Amino acid sequence: MNSLSQKLRPLDGSSSQPLYQQLQRSLRDAIDRRLLSPDDALPPERDLASELSVSRITVRKAIDGLVTEGLLVRRQGSGTFVCARVEKNFSKLTSFSEDMRARGRTPRSVWLRRAEGTVTPEEALSLRSSPGTPVYRFHRIRFADDAPMAVEYSTVLASCLPSLEAVESSLYEALEKSGNRPVRALQRLRAMLFSAEQAKLLRANERDAGLLVERLGFLKDGSAVEFSQSWYRGDTYDFVAELSAPT
Ligand code: GLP
């Protein structure tokens, strides 16, 4: 018999740590140690509860937490599965929505702000535009299924979109429709610790490790179209680059 309970560290009813937290920790541990692999299905909550001799509420609470952390995903009608960490190939100029769909995840955003304005001195430098140039600002929390992955602040030259409302679920889709999707980009990565505000938006803890990704996107004619700063949760995202030897 190779049931899930045999792969999990036993729960201790006499411990001061609540059972759901213990179960969460042992599931997290089993995922980290690859005793549970990406796309493995978890048994139904009722079966898991009886296997482990705990209540269904305990199991549900433990799973809810891991879904929020992005380690598990609930797929309607088919159950709960172990998520693959999202691997982002560096050499392709793809959008968040495309990256998530390519991995079988559903992209979703919560809007924080959508506004018209003019470039700040800092943006003017990055976007290589003159002071006073009209821009649109899009601030979003980006989700993969139910798991928050990043907080993203994008500034786009207003001349590249027909209106502020043109962006629905995907910025690149809107830019593509207007013939202004970037074809080249400079990208910079920096490790950082989340501030209290960022942590709250991403359901993480203050001072958890994160990754700041800045992208400056260019059109074919070499002019800049987009400057975005994305704060990714460090625990759900892997950036992967394929390297070849110099010729
Ligand atoms: C990634 C990039 C951003 C870009 C975004 C567009 O997150 N780092 O620079 O703005 O994709 O994503 P979407 O088209 O899903 O809005």
Side-chain angles (χ1 to χ4, degrees), residues 43 102 152:
E152 193 159 75

Side-chain angles (χ1 to χ4, degrees), residues 94-97 140 142 152 154 169-173 187 215 226 228 230 232:
T94 48
S95 70
F96 180 88
S97 308
R140 296 174 287 175
R142 315 293 320 253
E152 193 159 75
S154 305
S169 51
S170 161
L171 170 61
Y172 276 21
E173 219 173 271
Q187 195 153 281
R215 182 184 288 183
E226 167 210 14
S228 288
S230 317
Y232 283 91

Side-chain angles (χ1 to χ4, degrees), residues 230-242:
S230 317
W231 276 267
Y232 283 91
R233 272 170 53 148
D235 56 352
T236 50
Y237 222 83
D238 287 343
F239 283 87
V240 179
E242 189 182 305

Side-chain angles (χ1 to χ4, degrees), residues 60-72:
R60 167 120 10 111
K61 243 174 133 175
I63 291 179
D64 280 349
L66 295 171
V67 166
T68 305
E69 282 179 36
L71 289 177
L72 296 176

